[in-house]
Amino acid sequence: MYLIWRGRHIVSTKTATKEMVSIGINLEKVLDILETGYDDPKAKRKKGTIVKCSTLKGRYIKVVAVESYQYSTDTEVWLITHVGD
């Protein structure tokens, strides 16, 4: 099952998946943070990178999404590169 945000599928890196498991969240919660979270005022990232933040179970969570291309499906995707502090 693919989740879609801003017209693109959401895919996570191996490292981001491990971070999600350690925190106890899944891609659906990541999508929720991307949709309802707030922009990180300290994040200075290059164009095409989005950083959204939220508080979950009393913990500050930051999600970093990068515009990318998935060759196996021949589609543009949002690649989740970091989930955590």
Side-chain angles (χ1 to χ4, degrees):
M1 174 177 117
Y2 284 104
L3 298 175
I4 297 177
W5 181 61
R6 292 189 181 177
R8 298 175 180 213
H9 291 161
I10 298 174
V11 180
S12 85
T13 63
K14 190 175 186 179
T15 301
T17 302
K18 288 179 182 179
E19 292 169 343
M20 287 187 287
V21 169
S22 71
I23 296 170
I25 64 174
N26 57 21
L27 272 180
E28 290 177 351
K29 185 59 185 172
V30 169
L31 174 61
D32 183 49
I33 292 170
L34 289 171
E35 290 177 339
T36 62
Y38 56 91
D39 292 329
D40 184 3
K42 296 181 273 181
K44 299 288 184 192
R45 305 283 178 150
K46 68 180 187 176
K47 186 176 178 180
T49 302
I50 295 178
V51 181
K52 294 286 188 168
C53 304
S54 184
T55 304
L56 178 67
K57 300 175 187 171
R59 184 175 178 181
Y60 175 78
I61 304 291
K62 182 187 302 185
V63 174
V64 179
V66 180
E67 293 176 335
S68 187
Y69 188 82
Q70 190 173 39
Y71 291 96
S72 62
T73 59
D74 194 32
T75 58
E76 293 181 339
V77 297
W78 287 107
L79 184 64
I80 306 300
T81 58
H82 175 69
V83 178
D85 300 302

